[in-house]
Amino acid sequence: MTALRGARIHITGIVQGVGFRPFVYALARRHALMGWVRNTSAGVEIEVDGTPQAIEAFVLALREQAPPLAQIDDLRVEQGAPNGFTDFEIVASQALAQAFQPVSPDVSLCEDCLRELLDPQDRRYRYPFINCTNCGPRFTIIRDIPYDRPNTTMAPFEMCADCAAEYHDPLDRRFHAQPVACPQCGPHLWLEVGGERVAERGEALQAARKLLRQGKIVAVKGLGGFHLACDATDPEAVAELRRRKLRVDKPFALMMPDLQAVQAHCLLEEAAGSLLTGREQPIVILPRRADSTVAPQVAPGQRTLGVMLPYTPLHVLLLEREAGFPPALVMTSGNLSEEPIATDNERARECLSGLADAFLMHDRDIHTRCDDSVVRPLEGRVYSLRRSRGYAPSPIQLPWEAPPLLAAGAELKNTFCLTRERYVFLSHHVGDLQNYETLQAFEQGVAHFEHLFCVRPEALAYDLHPDYLATRYALERAARQGLPAVGVQHHHAHIAACMADNGLEAQASLIGVAFDGTGYGEDGAIWGGEFLLAGYGEYRRACHLAYLPMAGGEAAVREPWRLALAWLHQVGVDWEADLPPVKASSAAARRVLRRQLELGLNAPLTSSMGRLFDAVSALISVRQRVNYEAQAAIELEARVDPDEQGHYEFEIEGEIVDPAPLIRAVVWDLRAGLPAGRIAARFHRGVARMVLEVCRRLRRDAGLQRVALSGGVWQNMVLIEHTLALLREAGFEVLVHRQVPANDGGLSLGQAAVAAHRIGSGQASAISDQPSGPEDREEEPSAES
C-alpha cells in the first residue's frame, strides 16, 4: 500500500470570488484527498493528505483546470508528513496582517444565469440581480478583503433559506457567491418620477421601458454608477439629452440587445464580435453602417459608433426585444459634463434631477464608481482606449519587482496606480482632474486601493506639469509624509508605460514615438511630437516636431483656426481671404493673433503632433472650434479617403522634423480643389512615412531595432495601421499598447515604472526627470505580456 504524504499549497492571483474554493473541493474529492481549503488575505491556502501520485495530479489540475475567471499568478507546494485528515472541507477565511491579493473585476452576466433569468420555471425568473460565482459585481461592491459577504455592500441583505443553502453547498454554482440573492431576500428595483416612487420591481422596469418608448430620458442605476438612457433612434430625445447634459458634440455610447442588433447598425468583424461578447463586455468602437437608423446626433461628424451589449441582468431586461421598443439606447455616464459618474441614490437625485425625467433605482450600494471601458480591435486583438469596468482592478504583472509606490497619473483621463512586488494595481478611470468633485473621487480611490491591496507607498511619482492637480496631490503628500517624490517627464512616462505593458525587462531600451496633444517638456515648452531613445530609468530626446508659437495658449486648443494661422505665418503663407481659418476668424482677432506671434505674447512653444492634426483640420475646413478633446483630429480621421495613395512630405534636419513642406502642400491642394478626404489621407500617410524615416535614422545612429508607439494620437486607427505596416515592412519590431490605453489613461503605469528604476538606482529626485542617453546599451530580448 502506497504511503500517504501531506502537502501545503499556497496560491496567489485572482482566486477569490471566482468559484475557486468549490473547484478545489470537487477536485480534492475526485482525487480522494483529505484536508481543507480556505481564503486568506493573501490568496488561497490548501492542505491535503493523499498518495504522492494523487497529490501530483491534484496540483497539475489546479494549474490546468482552474475556473474561467481565475488567474493563478503563483502556486507553491510544500511537501510534508500527513496530518491525519479524515475528510475534505472548506474552512472559514483567515485575515492576515499586511497580506494582499488581487481583486476580480466585475464580470458580465454568464450564460447559465441568463438562461435562468429567462426561464419562467426558475425562482429567479426576471430577477434583475441574478448572479453566481462566474458573473456579477465584484470590484464595485467590495469594501475589504478577504472577499466575503460581510466585506461587501451585500452585507445588509440577509439570505433566505434557499439562497443560504446554495451559498453553503460546495457543489453549487453559487457556493460563496457573495452577491447571491433572489426576489425574496435581495435588492429590488423601483422607479421615481418627480421625487416620488411610482412603481416597484417588475412594474418599475416596464414603466421605465414605456418612458423610453415615449422619448423620455431615464437615469438607470447600473453596476458602477448611473447611466442616462434614451432612444438612440429618436433625434429629438438625443438632442434633448445633449442640451441637458451640456455635451455638444462628444459621441454618446450605445447599448444594443444582441449581436443581431449590432449588425443592423454597424459593420462587425469577428474580432470586434469577440470583444463585444467577452466577459468584460466593454464599449467597442465600430464602423457605422450607412443605413443605420441611429440618430446622427449620437456621434456627430463620425463614421463610427461606440456600442456595448447588456452586461447585467437589469440591462438584459431593460433592452428586451419588443415591437415598438427602440433597437438601441443611448447609455451615457450619469453626470454633468466632466463630473464623476453618480453612484449614490441621494447624490443622483441631487445632480441628475435636471437631466433625467425618471430614475430607475435599486438598493444595492455601489462602493466604487466604475465607468464603462472603451476598446477597439487592432490586428485582431484588444486596443484599449479607456480601462475601467471589466478590466480594473486586475493587476498588470511586471517582469521585475517594484517597491511600494503610488503614481498619481495625469490631468486628463486620470488613472493612478500602486505597485507591490511584481504587481501594478492600475485604477479604474477617474476622469479629468479639473474640478473638486473629480479630485475627491481621485483621493477616495487612492485611499481605497491602498487599503484594499495593503500598500503603504514608500515614494510617489508625478507628472512634471506644476499645475496638474494630481501633481500637487503627490508633492503635498510627499512633503507631509516625508517621502521621496519622483518627477517623470510626460512622454518618457508614455513610452515606459508601453514597455511595461509589453513586459519588457529592466534593462531594455528602444525608440519611443510619443505623439499626443500636451505634455510638459524639460525646457518648459509643450511637447507632443517626440522621438525618444528610452529605457525605463532614463531617456534622450532624439528628435521632435518643430516648435510652433501657440498663440492664445489654451484658446488655441479650443479654436484650431489659431493653430492653422500660426503655421501659415511660420511657413510664410499669407493669410488670404480664401483660406478657411481666415474665413472663420474676425479681422480684429487676426490682428491680435499676429501681434502675439510677432512678440511671443501668450504664445507658448509647442512641438505637439496633436496640435498639428488640429491645424490641418482647420486648414481644410473640417473643424475650426472644438467642444471636446481631440475633436478636430477625430473628425479629420473620419474624412480620410481610403483610396488615396499620395502623401505629404516633412523636412527632417538634425533633431527637427519640420512640417513646413506639408503645410504648403495642403494649401496648394486646397486651392486646386482637391477634396478634403484626399487631403486628410495624404496628411495621415505623410505622418506615417515621416515616422518611418526618423526611425530609420535613429536605428542607423543608435542601433535600436525596437519601436514603441504611445500617446493619444496613436488612437487614430488610420495612422497606427499605416505606421505599423511601414515599420514592420522595414524590419522593425513594433510595440503597441494592449493592457492599458496609449492615451493619458495609461500614464501612471509609466510613471511607476520610471520611478521604480530611479529609486532602485538611487536616482530619485524631488524635482524633475533627468534625461540622458540609453542609446549605447545593448537591446534586450522582448518578453511577452
Side-chain angles (χ1 to χ4, degrees):
M1 186 176 185
T2 304
L4 298 181
R5 299 287 296 165
R8 188 179 186 94
I9 303 166
H10 180 67
I11 303 173
T12 60
I14 298 177
V15 288
Q16 294 188 20
V18 293
F20 201 82
R21 287 176 299 171
F23 158 70
V24 172
Y25 178 90
L27 197 63
R29 291 173 66 108
R30 189 189 317 158
H31 290 282
L33 299 176
M34 305 299 166
W36 52 263
V37 59
R38 71 180 173 199
N39 280 346
T40 75
S41 304
V44 168
E45 287 186 350
I46 306 167
E47 282 206 25
V48 291
D49 289 350
T51 66
Q53 295 85 353
I55 292 175
E56 182 179 356
F58 174 72
V59 171
L60 182 65
L62 286 174
R63 295 183 184 277
E64 296 183 351
Q65 300 172 25
L69 300 184
Q71 175 185 307
I72 295 177
D73 296 331
D74 187 53
L75 189 156
R76 300 180 184 181
V77 182
E78 297 177 15
Q79 302 286 351
N83 292 282
F85 298 124
T86 58
D87 198 0
F88 193 89
E89 59 183 337
I90 297 172
V91 299
S93 299
Q94 181 182 48
L96 302 174
Q98 296 305 307
F100 79 103
Q101 63 114 33
V103 171
S104 170
D106 299 317
V107 183
S108 60
L109 185 68
C110 71
E111 288 297 321
D112 288 331
C113 285
L114 176 60
R115 185 176 60 254
E116 293 171 349
L117 177 72
L118 303 178
D119 181 0
Q121 304 306 313
D122 193 274
R123 72 186 189 92
R124 293 187 176 89
Y125 175 56
R126 301 186 67 80
Y127 180 56
F129 305 98
I130 188 171
N131 66 86
C132 70
T133 53
N134 296 321
C135 69
R138 301 288 191 276
F139 171 58
T140 52
I141 65 170
I142 188 170
R143 299 183 187 274
D144 204 350
I145 53 173
Y147 176 64
D148 289 323
R149 195 177 181 101
N151 291 332
T152 73
T153 61
M154 285 297 295
F157 298 95
E158 183 177 351
M159 287 180 282
C160 66
D162 288 338
C163 286
E166 294 169 328
Y167 183 87
H168 292 292
D169 181 357
L171 299 182
D172 193 280
R173 197 175 87 250
R174 293 188 170 89
F175 175 75
H176 277 225
Q178 305 309 335
V180 67
C182 73
Q184 280 65 51
C185 65
H188 74 278
L189 290 176
W190 67 88
L191 185 74
E192 292 186 12
V193 179
E196 300 292 331
R197 288 199 187 194
V198 298
E200 303 279 340
R201 303 180 183 267
E203 291 181 0
L205 184 76
Q206 294 308 315
R209 283 170 56 86
K210 182 177 180 180
L211 289 171
L212 290 167
R213 282 197 300 268
Q214 295 171 350
K216 302 298 185 182
I217 299 167
V218 179
V220 180
K221 186 177 182 181
L223 199 58
F226 279 80
H227 285 112
L228 292 169
C230 72
D231 180 354
T233 63
D234 182 343
E236 292 183 5
V238 177
E240 179 63 14
L241 177 56
R242 286 200 176 279
R243 187 191 67 79
R244 296 184 190 180
K245 193 173 161 65
L246 307 178
R247 188 162 172 167
V248 182
D249 289 317
K250 191 174 183 180
F252 285 138
L254 301 178
M255 184 175 282
M256 299 183 185
D258 49 41
L259 284 179
Q260 182 181 355
V262 176
Q263 289 171 326
H265 297 279
C266 301
L267 302 176
L268 188 62
E269 296 182 351
E270 183 178 353
S274 296
L275 291 174
L276 280 168
T277 57
R279 70 188 188 198
E280 297 89 0
Q281 290 196 208
I283 298 168
V284 182
I285 308 299
L286 301 170
R288 176 185 177 129
R289 292 180 64 97
D291 58 350
S292 169
T293 58
V294 168
Q297 293 88 342
V298 166
Q302 308 281 312
R303 291 181 177 177
T304 57
L305 295 172
V307 182
M308 57 184 158
L309 295 179
Y311 54 84
T312 72
L314 172 58
H315 292 133
V316 169
L317 297 173
L318 186 65
L319 276 92
E320 198 168 27
R321 283 179 174 270
E322 182 184 31
F325 192 77
L329 295 180
V330 167
M331 198 69 75
T332 190
S333 54
N335 57 353
L336 277 171
S337 187
E338 309 312 330
E339 288 187 3
I341 186 172
T343 57
D344 175 77
N345 288 349
E346 190 56 43
R347 174 64 178 158
R349 294 184 186 104
E350 292 174 8
C351 68
L352 302 183
S353 59
L355 282 69
D357 297 307
F359 291 80
L360 186 60
M361 289 185 160
H362 61 74
D363 53 353
R364 184 179 68 200
D365 287 345
I366 299 168
H367 186 70
T368 302
R369 62 173 46 85
C370 202
D371 292 78
D372 295 311
S373 295
V374 184
V375 305
R376 300 188 82 143
L378 176 62
E379 299 182 319
R381 297 174 61 190
V382 64
Y383 190 60
S384 177
L385 307 184
R386 183 168 75 197
R387 184 182 188 269
S388 205
R389 176 190 54 77
Y391 297 94
S394 287
I396 293 157
Q397 293 191 61
L398 300 171
W400 33 266
E401 290 210 358
L405 299 169
L406 167 64
E411 182 89 340
L412 301 180
K413 301 178 177 65
N414 177 270
T415 64
F416 60 85
C417 75
L418 294 167
T419 61
R420 181 165 178 175
E421 299 169 7
R422 294 193 173 212
Y423 285 123
V424 177
F425 296 103
L426 188 75
S427 78
H428 50 295
H429 172 78
V430 177
D432 296 347
L433 290 186
Q434 296 182 324
N435 54 59
Y436 177 68
E437 292 80 8
T438 312
L439 179 62
Q440 276 189 310
F442 168 84
E443 292 177 344
Q444 292 164 2
V446 168
H448 184 49
F449 267 57
E450 289 181 6
H451 177 72
L452 203 59
F453 301 116
C454 297
V455 176
R456 182 174 296 176
E458 296 176 359
L460 289 90
Y462 63 93
D463 190 274
L464 296 183
H465 198 299
D467 294 331
Y468 281 3
L469 292 181
T471 294
R472 293 180 179 180
Y473 168 89
L475 290 174
E476 290 169 5
R477 178 173 173 180
R480 186 172 65 251
Q481 297 182 354
L483 298 174
V486 184
V488 183
Q489 200 281 323
H490 191 90
H491 302 96
H492 185 201
H494 269 309
I495 299 306
C498 190
M499 294 170 68
D501 192 340
N502 285 273
L504 265 61
E505 296 296 331
Q507 299 306 313
S509 60
L510 45 64
I511 300 167
V513 186
F515 286 173
D516 64 4
T518 300
Y520 195 83
E522 289 292 325
D523 56 2
I526 301 168
W527 293 6
E530 311 305 313
F531 292 85
L532 309 180
L533 300 178
Y536 285 114
E538 53 191 16
Y539 78 97
R540 179 169 74 81
R541 191 187 194 195
C543 205
H544 63 87
L545 200 65
Y547 279 134
L548 175 78
M550 200 165 72
E554 282 299 310
V557 178
R558 298 188 298 272
E559 299 179 330
W561 64 263
R562 295 173 179 269
L563 296 163
L565 292 182
W567 271 115
L568 292 175
H569 179 271
Q570 181 147 312
V571 306
V573 175
D574 291 338
W575 295 351
E576 297 183 7
D578 65 316
L579 295 173
V582 176
K583 295 178 182 178
S585 56
S586 68
R590 291 195 300 275
R591 282 195 298 271
V592 172
L593 186 73
R594 189 181 297 276
R595 191 73 172 154
Q596 289 175 320
L597 292 170
E598 290 171 348
L599 298 179
L601 296 174
N602 190 25
L605 296 177
T606 182
S607 62
S608 166
M609 180 60 73
R611 299 290 81 85
L612 180 61
F613 271 76
D614 291 349
V616 172
S617 180
L619 265 178
I620 64 173
S621 201
V622 171
R623 174 62 60 174
Q624 303 294 347
R625 292 170 177 81
V626 303
N627 53 72
Y628 65 88
E629 187 197 8
Q631 181 180 9
I634 291 169
E635 293 183 5
L636 181 66
E637 179 190 4
R639 292 289 191 93
V640 168
D641 181 345
D643 296 325
E644 173 62 47
Q645 297 301 307
H647 67 276
Y648 296 127
E649 297 285 350
F650 289 76
E651 181 181 339
I652 305 170
E653 188 67 37
E655 296 182 356
I656 306 301
V657 178
D658 191 349
L662 179 149
I663 297 294
R664 296 189 190 100
V666 168
V667 173
W668 177 273
D669 282 346
L670 181 68
R671 286 174 166 162
L674 199 70
R678 294 185 62 188
I679 297 176
R682 290 181 179 186
F683 171 69
H684 282 76
R685 291 171 62 84
V687 173
R689 286 182 174 274
M690 177 272 290
V691 171
L692 171 64
E693 179 57 29
V694 175
C695 288
R696 277 176 168 162
R697 296 185 185 200
L698 295 179
R699 175 170 62 184
R700 180 192 64 205
D701 296 343
L704 296 173
Q705 188 75 13
R706 185 187 288 151
V707 177
L709 306 179
S710 189
V713 169
W714 294 111
Q715 294 175 147
N716 182 311
M717 290 294 106
V718 172
L719 180 64
I720 195 169
E721 288 174 354
H722 193 50
T723 304
L724 284 171
L726 291 176
L727 288 172
R728 287 172 178 158
E729 186 179 354
F732 287 96
E733 176 192 351
V734 191
L735 306 180
V736 298
H737 286 274
R738 293 299 181 187
Q739 301 177 81
V740 305
N743 61 41
D744 284 2
L747 201 76
S748 61
L749 172 60
Q751 291 174 343
V754 172
H757 282 76
R758 294 272 176 76
I759 290 170
S761 61
Q763 296 180 31
S765 165
I767 301 175
S768 67
D769 211 320
Q770 301 294 323
S772 63
E775 64 271 18
D776 294 329
R777 293 183 301 199
E778 291 296 319
E779 189 175 14
E780 293 294 315
S782 63
E784 293 297 322
S785 58

